[in-house]
């Protein structure tokens, strides 16, 4: 499989580090996030990567060259004209990914020990165009699933705002883990263009398509803030 790593974001929550560096190069126990995730994906046999860049993108390119791409095949999707967010970034990288084979997407600032073999197996069994890794953990926003783990809505925990595909019949709220398993059929389903969040597309598509969640109990840290680096360093040595 190929894996698309989202590494383009400005990482404003990780200031002051991101005033001069991309968040993908933030250190956890002296190892950059991007290196950790490349090696994590390689541990499941994935050695073919697309990495999108924007904010200090040249630092990421230089880092990869310095380390001989960690022995992997790596293609760079350079959004140097405009930061396109997750949905726009996926569409922009289509030329690297649209080959009729499933691929993974992972945020560069996520650290996890999720068993990707089980996740991919679940995705292939469901034959979905998108399967989302989710877990029961603290988050300001939750995705809502029915008893078949099909996406039916979204909830802002702080404001109570909801977006629903149908009346909320006791849907299960779970936090998105920043990892998707995708079939290239998604490119024919996406309606938006330019800069947009892929989650907006998922919340539109849930009205007509089945998008499954894959619930896991693995460790997962969103290394989006300086204090979360300390949490990650206690888990990921």
């Amino acid at each position: 499989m190929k894996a698309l790593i989202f590494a383009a974001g400005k990482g404003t929550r990780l200031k002051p580090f991101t005033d001069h560096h991309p968040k993908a190069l933030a250190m956890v126990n002296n190892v950059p996030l991007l290196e950790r995730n490349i090696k994590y994906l390689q541990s499941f046999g994935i050695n073919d990567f697309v990495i999108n860049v924007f904010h200090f993108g040249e630092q990421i390119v230089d880092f990869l060259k310095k380390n001989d791409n960690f022995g992997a095949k790596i293609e760079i999707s350079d959004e140097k004209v405009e930061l396109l967010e997750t949905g726009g970034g996926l569409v922009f990288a289509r030329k690297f990914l649209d080959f009729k084979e499933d691929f993974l997407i992972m945020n560069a600032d996520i650290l996890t020990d999720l068993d990707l073999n089980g996740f991919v197996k679940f995705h292939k069994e469901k034959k979905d165009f998108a399967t989302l890794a989710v877990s029961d953990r603290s988050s300001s926003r939750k995705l809502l699933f029915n008893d078949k783990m099909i996406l039916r809505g979204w909830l802002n925990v702080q404001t109570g705002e909801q977006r629903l595909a149908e009346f909320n019949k006791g849907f299960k709220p779970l936090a998105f883990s920043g990892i998707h398993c995708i079939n290239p059929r998604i490119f024919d389903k996406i309606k938006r263009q330019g800069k947009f969040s892929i989650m907006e597309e998922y919340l539109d598509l849930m009205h007509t398509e089945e998008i499954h969640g894959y619930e896991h109990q693995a460790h997962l840290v969103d290394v989006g803030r300086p204090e979360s680096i300390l949490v990650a360093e206690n888990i990921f040595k």
Side-chain angles (χ1 to χ4, degrees):
M1 293 183 79
K2 272 195 174 186
L4 168 62
I5 300 178
F6 283 138
K10 293 181 178 179
T12 52
R13 296 178 300 158
L14 260 181
K15 285 176 173 284
F17 177 84
T18 48
D19 287 335
H20 304 285
H21 307 281
K23 65 179 178 180
L25 296 186
M27 299 280 198
V28 171
N29 288 323
N30 298 312
V31 181
L33 291 171
L34 183 59
E35 178 178 343
R36 285 182 174 274
N37 278 324
I38 288 172
K39 290 180 176 177
Y40 162 69
L41 290 161
Q42 285 177 323
S43 75
F44 290 95
I46 296 167
N47 208 40
D48 196 349
F49 299 91
V50 180
I51 300 175
N52 80 336
V53 300
F54 174 82
H55 184 63
F56 294 111
E58 71 284 353
Q59 290 187 28
I60 291 176
V61 173
D62 290 345
F63 171 74
L64 293 169
K65 284 181 180 176
K66 181 181 174 183
N67 289 280
D68 296 319
N69 285 351
F70 298 97
K73 178 186 176 185
I74 297 180
E75 296 164 303
I76 299 295
S77 183
D78 191 345
E79 299 173 15
K80 55 189 171 188
V81 175
E82 180 185 18
L83 179 60
L84 295 170
E85 296 189 20
T86 51
L90 172 58
V91 171
F92 190 74
R94 179 175 183 170
K95 63 185 177 185
F96 301 115
L97 300 165
D98 194 0
F99 299 108
K100 298 183 179 179
E101 293 184 354
D102 294 331
F103 58 90
L104 285 165
I105 301 177
M106 183 171 187
N107 295 350
D109 56 356
I110 292 292
L111 288 183
T112 184
D113 54 9
L114 168 65
D115 177 8
L116 290 178
N117 291 332
F119 178 46
V120 171
K121 181 174 181 284
F122 178 87
H123 168 79
K124 290 183 179 297
E125 286 172 352
K126 296 300 180 185
K127 296 183 172 62
D128 284 351
F129 67 90
T131 305
L132 313 181
V134 291
S135 64
D136 186 6
R137 66 182 196 281
S138 177
S139 177
S140 61
R141 293 170 178 82
K142 297 285 184 80
L143 297 177
L144 304 175
F145 295 89
N146 65 15
D147 56 5
K148 295 181 180 178
M149 284 302 292
I150 296 171
L151 180 66
R152 303 315 285 151
W154 171 91
L155 168 69
N156 184 317
V157 175
Q158 295 169 332
T159 67
E161 178 190 357
Q162 295 185 73
R163 288 178 60 178
L164 298 170
E166 59 181 307
F167 178 73
N168 189 339
K169 297 174 280 195
F171 295 146
K172 188 172 187 176
L174 296 165
F176 178 45
S177 299
I179 305 172
H180 337 218
C181 196
I182 302 293
N183 184 277
R185 301 197 317 274
I186 195 172
F187 292 116
D188 295 325
K189 299 179 186 295
I190 291 174
K191 300 294 189 291
R192 290 172 175 79
Q193 296 180 331
K195 179 179 180 178
F196 65 95
S197 165
I198 191 60
M199 193 54 67
E200 290 297 315
E201 283 290 328
Y202 291 154
L203 293 176
D204 283 351
L205 289 166
M206 71 179 176
H207 292 271
T208 55
E209 307 270 0
E210 286 191 355
I211 300 172
H212 281 86
Y214 176 79
E215 187 176 2
H216 66 89
Q217 280 78 44
H219 291 112
L220 188 136
V221 181
D222 175 358
V223 190
R225 302 177 187 276
E227 58 269 25
S228 59
I229 290 178
L230 298 175
V231 174
E233 287 187 332
N234 286 324
I235 300 171
F236 300 95
K237 302 301 182 182

